[in-house]
């Protein structure tokens, strides 16, 4: 099967993308980004409680925003924003939280639900809990600060609680040749890249996969459950498939 065909693989099934993870932070080690980054305080730091003292911080922009791609569909029960434990806490004032089913920067038909906003006064390590009443499965969460001038956005920690949602959709994967998963969450076999993609769907926690048609049939399909920068490396004969943002 050609890469083009696999990239537009269609499954006519309702699929639960990720397993029930209630009680765990379903955003941990997922794909986070922000409008800009100040002195190495990257978006991913807000998803790791180890870095909650400083968390993430943008440079001066307007608006300033932070976003996480959950790489699957969820019914969200609550989202908790915790302020940093330093002098940056004022940079979370009046920030508001939204959830969406698609990447709002790329997809013109994204559904968006407003969840609430942080108060105009914030103290160190203060927590703000948002209940989002979205009627659609959620994949993206965005935190935004707007003003009449350039401002920063600081977040100490983001915790997202929810359970895997069922969504009927056409599954498009973008292929990248010469790359593969370094530390797969599961290794299995597949005759074609399309079959490897089906394995990814059936293992509910899978978010991306890699396939090599010439590798051993016992280990030519690699599934990954987490998005971390060091999890993908250059490797000839392998192709990495990542889920499209506009499903």
């Amino acid at each position: 099967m050609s890469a083009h065909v696999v990239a537009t693989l269609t499954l006519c099934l309702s699929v639960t993308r990720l397993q029930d993870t209630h009680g765990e932070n379903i955003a941990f080690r997922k794909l986070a980004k922000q409008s800009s980054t100040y002195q190495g305080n990257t978006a991913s730091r807000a998803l790791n409680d180890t870095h909650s003292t400083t968390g993430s911080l943008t440079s001066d922009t307007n608006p300033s925003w932070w976003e996480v791609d959950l790489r699957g569909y969820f019914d969200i029960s609550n989202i908790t924003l915790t302020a940093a434990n330093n002098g940056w806490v004022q940079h979370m004032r009046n920030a508001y939280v939204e959830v969406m089913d698609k990447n709002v920067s790329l997809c013109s038909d994204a559904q968006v639900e407003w969840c609430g906003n942080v108060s105009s006064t914030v103290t160190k390590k203060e927590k703000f809990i948002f209940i989002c009443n979205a009627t659609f499965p959620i994949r993206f969460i965005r935190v935004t600060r707007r003003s009449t001038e350039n401002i920063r956005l600081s977040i100490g920690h983001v915790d997202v609680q929810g359970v895997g949602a069922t969504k009927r959709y056409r599954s498009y994967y973008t292929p990248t040749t010469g790359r593969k998963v370094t530390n797969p969450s599961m290794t299995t076999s597949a005759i074609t890249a399309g079959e490897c993609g089906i394995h990814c769907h059936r293992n509910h926690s899978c978010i991306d996969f890699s396939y090599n048609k010439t590798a051993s049939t016992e280990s030519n399909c690699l599934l990954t459950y987490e998005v971390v920068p060091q999890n993908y490396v250059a490797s000839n004969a392998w192709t990495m498939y990542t889920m499209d943002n506009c499903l």
Side-chain angles (χ1 to χ4, degrees), residues 59-102:
S59 299
D60 289 312
T61 54
N62 188 29
S64 289
W65 54 266
W66 177 98
E67 182 181 277
V68 61
D69 179 355
L70 298 176
R71 303 297 290 164
Y73 296 96
F74 290 87
D75 291 324
I76 302 298
S77 56
N78 62 77
I79 300 168
T80 301
L81 300 189
T82 303
N85 188 26
N86 57 22
W88 298 341
V89 293
Q90 73 270 20
H91 298 311
M92 202 171 83
R93 295 172 182 169
N94 299 314
Y96 59 90
V97 180
E98 297 172 298
V99 294
M100 52 209 75
D101 65 336
K102 301 179 182 180

Side-chain angles (χ1 to χ4, degrees), residues 1-4 6 176-180 188-197 209-222 235-241:
M1 183 179 293
S2 67
H4 175 74
V6 174
T176 303
T177 58
R179 296 193 73 191
K180 76 166 186 175
T188 185
S189 62
I191 298 175
T192 65
E195 183 182 359
C196 186
F209 66 93
S210 298
Y211 177 74
N212 184 346
K213 64 181 180 181
T214 62
S216 168
T217 55
E218 297 300 319
S219 57
N220 66 348
C221 176
L222 310 179
S235 183
N236 293 333
W238 284 88
T239 300
M240 180 178 69
Y241 295 86

Side-chain angles (χ1 to χ4, degrees), residues 130-229:
F130 301 93
I131 307 299
C132 303
N133 297 314
T135 58
F136 52 86
I138 294 165
R139 177 174 165 183
F140 293 86
I141 296 170
R142 177 173 283 212
V143 182
T144 307
R145 284 191 82 208
R146 293 181 182 274
S147 180
T148 56
E149 57 186 7
N150 289 339
I151 54 175
R152 296 179 182 178
L153 171 62
S154 168
I155 306 174
H157 188 242
V158 179
D159 182 277
V160 183
Q161 297 292 309
V163 295
T166 299
K167 180 179 176 68
R168 186 180 183 92
Y169 59 88
R170 294 170 62 88
S171 299
Y172 292 92
Y173 285 88
T174 300
T176 303
T177 58
R179 296 193 73 191
K180 76 166 186 175
V181 176
T182 307
N183 299 305
S185 304
M186 179 179 176
T187 299
T188 185
S189 62
I191 298 175
T192 65
E195 183 182 359
C196 186
I198 292 173
H199 285 319
C200 185
H201 277 279
R202 289 177 175 171
N203 286 271
H204 301 311
S205 295
C206 179
I207 53 178
D208 299 322
F209 66 93
S210 298
Y211 177 74
N212 184 346
K213 64 181 180 181
T214 62
S216 168
T217 55
E218 297 300 319
S219 57
N220 66 348
C221 176
L222 310 179
L223 312 183
T224 182
Y225 303 164
E226 297 178 324
V227 176
V228 289

